[in-house]
Amino acid sequence: MNRVLIVGAGGVSRVVVHKCAQHPEIFEEITLASRTLSKCDAIVADIKNYPRPIKTEQVDADRVDQLVALIEKVRPDLLINVALPYQDLTIMEACLQTGVHYMDTANYEHPDEAKFCYAPQWALQKRFEEAGLLALLGCGFDPGVTNVYTAYAKKHHFDKMNRVDIIDCNAGDHGYPFATNFNPEINIREVSAKGRFYKQGSWIETDPLSVKHVFDFPHSIGPKDIYLLYHEEMESLTKHYPEIQQMRFWMTFGQSYLTHLKVLENVGMTGIKPILFEGKEIVPLQFLKRLLPDPASLGPRTVGKTCIGIWVSGEKENRPKSYYLFNICDHQECYREVGAQAVSYTTGVPAALGAKLILTGAWSGKGVYNVEQFDPDPFMNEIGDWGLPWEETFPNCPTFEDALYPGTI
Ligand code: NDP
């Protein structure tokens, strides 16, 4: 009997629960736990056709003792962490203490420092290995599918990958002047941080959102501004593929989003250090989060598509080769299926499929793993049926630069 415990009850969790419930032959028992029990109950109330009751529980995932008690009660085979990156280490610790496999979709961040890296989670390698447990890190879309795509590109198309560019486009419109498509606090911390890219063994820093190009996206999405950001999968991919000479991550932003973000930064609303307000300590960014639309509420009003993919240039049989591999996802189709917009959907679907591959043994190991360390084929064979089909093209131009607008792809 396969049991999963899903922790966190936000936008991504909604998709994970729906997708697990669509496969009762794999996920035979599902428990959903989070800080706010009513949010778990609301997600479960929308699940149709799952043959057994989905249990809900309250837990503060910052507390290892509460997590241990919950895990001992539920006795899951796998814990899927879709709470916030702040909880990664406490949840991993609870999994180690109780002997349960772990997976997440975002790497650990300390609440007081807007900086993320894999070091604290990779440091648990030996403990997971000795316990005979698997911890799978970053199994959403980016990180997650982008890691699988890179592994797939290497396995099937390249003897050597020289340059990899990850391009994340959200061409959706929710109609608000300013809102974030996933947790506002995590999103704004990520976007307002310095950019960084990898070149020949070094990391090169850029000012936030200071490097911009225009990329012509497929399927009538068309040309969009893309901005260079730092993103966590670059850390693991450059480690696991040392042949990569240059790696960058790009994300689209609309002008309204950027103008609002600039104003909010300028007036101090994106700060993460507590300030004293009327005798009470508040964190400006957490206060801002309370004012912004809940990402989970954007589903019904978001129209348009996302397009996330990788562009690789390298060599195959001593000849230069370029390769673009991507997924297109439609916000409204996601909403009709699971009641969530495409940013939550593209994160939750890979998490649920990754969970299936762990539970069925298609992906197995002892220790702390990133997604690219597993065989990409079982994932690529199934992800289309799970809702995220992929397409590949072999562009005529030698590098990503040549493909930038007004070039063609
Ligand atoms: P939400 O803010 O919508 O949901 C987070 C959930 O975690 C909420 O239900 C929240 O509870 C719960 N939570 C927060 N703190 C605790 C705690 N101490 N104990 C228990 N539960 C807690 O976020 P999203 O669903 O948008 O994102 C979920 C995760 O997915 C994040 O880690 C995010 O970084 C990651 N992500 C990954 C992507 C990828 O492609 N890899 C893309 C997008 C997101 P409450 O409701 O009470 O606040």
Side-chain angles (χ1 to χ4, degrees), residues 8-19:
V12 175
S13 168
R14 162 175 283 274
V15 180
V16 175
V17 177
H18 271 263
K19 283 291 170 183

Side-chain angles (χ1 to χ4, degrees), residues 161-281:
M161 298 186 289
N162 293 329
R163 291 177 173 207
V164 180
D165 285 276
I166 299 170
I167 319 141
D168 178 334
C169 166
N170 180 6
D173 182 5
H174 43 58
Y176 287 117
F178 186 77
T180 63
N181 290 288
F182 66 96
N183 185 286
E185 195 182 331
I186 304 297
N187 178 259
I188 291 172
R189 281 163 67 116
E190 176 179 286
V191 174
S192 50
K194 287 214 171 213
R196 211 174 346 147
F197 68 99
Y198 179 84
K199 190 161 187 168
Q200 289 161 340
S202 306
W203 291 97
I204 297 165
E205 233 178 46
T206 57
D207 284 335
L209 305 174
S210 61
V211 183
K212 178 188 125 177
H213 288 293
V214 179
F215 186 76
D216 197 1
F217 287 92
H219 284 265
S220 72
I221 292 175
K224 297 268 172 217
D225 293 345
I226 55 171
Y227 293 83
L228 188 138
L229 293 187
Y230 178 67
H231 225 242
E232 64 207 59
E233 64 265 52
M234 292 195 286
E235 186 184 8
S236 72
L237 286 168
T238 51
K239 176 181 173 197
H240 294 128
Y241 296 102
E243 70 198 47
I244 295 175
Q245 296 295 302
Q246 178 177 287
M247 185 159 208
R248 296 173 299 191
F249 183 95
W250 305 90
M251 194 176 269
T252 58
F253 296 104
Q255 203 46 55
S256 173
Y257 178 94
L258 293 176
T259 308
H260 279 78
L261 185 65
K262 190 85 231 132
V263 173
L264 292 167
E265 269 172 0
N266 285 345
V267 298
M269 281 301 290
T270 58
I272 62 169
K273 294 224 157 45
I275 57 157
L276 216 53
F277 177 71
E278 295 187 344
K280 245 187 114 183
E281 271 203 345

Side-chain angles (χ1 to χ4, degrees), residues 2-24:
N2 280 330
R3 291 193 194 103
V4 281
L5 170 59
I6 300 164
V7 177
V12 175
S13 168
R14 162 175 283 274
V15 180
V16 175
V17 177
H18 271 263
K19 283 291 170 183
C20 291
Q22 286 174 11
H23 294 86

Side-chain angles (χ1 to χ4, degrees), residues 7-13 33-36 39 59-63 81-85 87-88 105-106 138-144 181-184 186 231-232 289 294-296 343-344 346-347:
V7 177
V12 175
S13 168
S34 194
R35 186 166 51 189
T36 312
K39 292 193 183 177
V59 71
D60 180 353
D62 289 322
R63 299 263 310 267
N81 169 16
V82 278
L84 295 179
Q87 282 83 48
D88 288 3
T105 64
C139 194
F141 205 107
D142 45 342
N181 290 288
F182 66 96
N183 185 286
I186 304 297
H231 225 242
E232 64 207 59
K289 180 185 168 197
D294 178 356
V343 175
S344 303
T346 52
T347 310

Side-chain angles (χ1 to χ4, degrees), residues 314-366:
E315 289 154 36
K316 181 74 178 174
E317 287 157 6
N318 296 320
R319 298 171 71 125
K321 184 172 182 180
S322 298
Y323 181 59
Y324 180 41
L325 173 60
F326 60 91
N327 159 261
I328 299 267
C329 189
D330 183 278
H331 284 286
Q332 281 298 302
E333 279 174 24
C334 300
Y335 186 70
R336 278 192 290 276
E337 184 192 330
V338 299
Q341 35 85 5
V343 175
S344 303
Y345 191 86
T346 52
T347 310
V349 170
L353 175 55
K356 174 193 165 171
L357 296 179
I358 293 173
L359 291 172
T360 56
W363 281 357
S364 66
K366 293 174 190 161

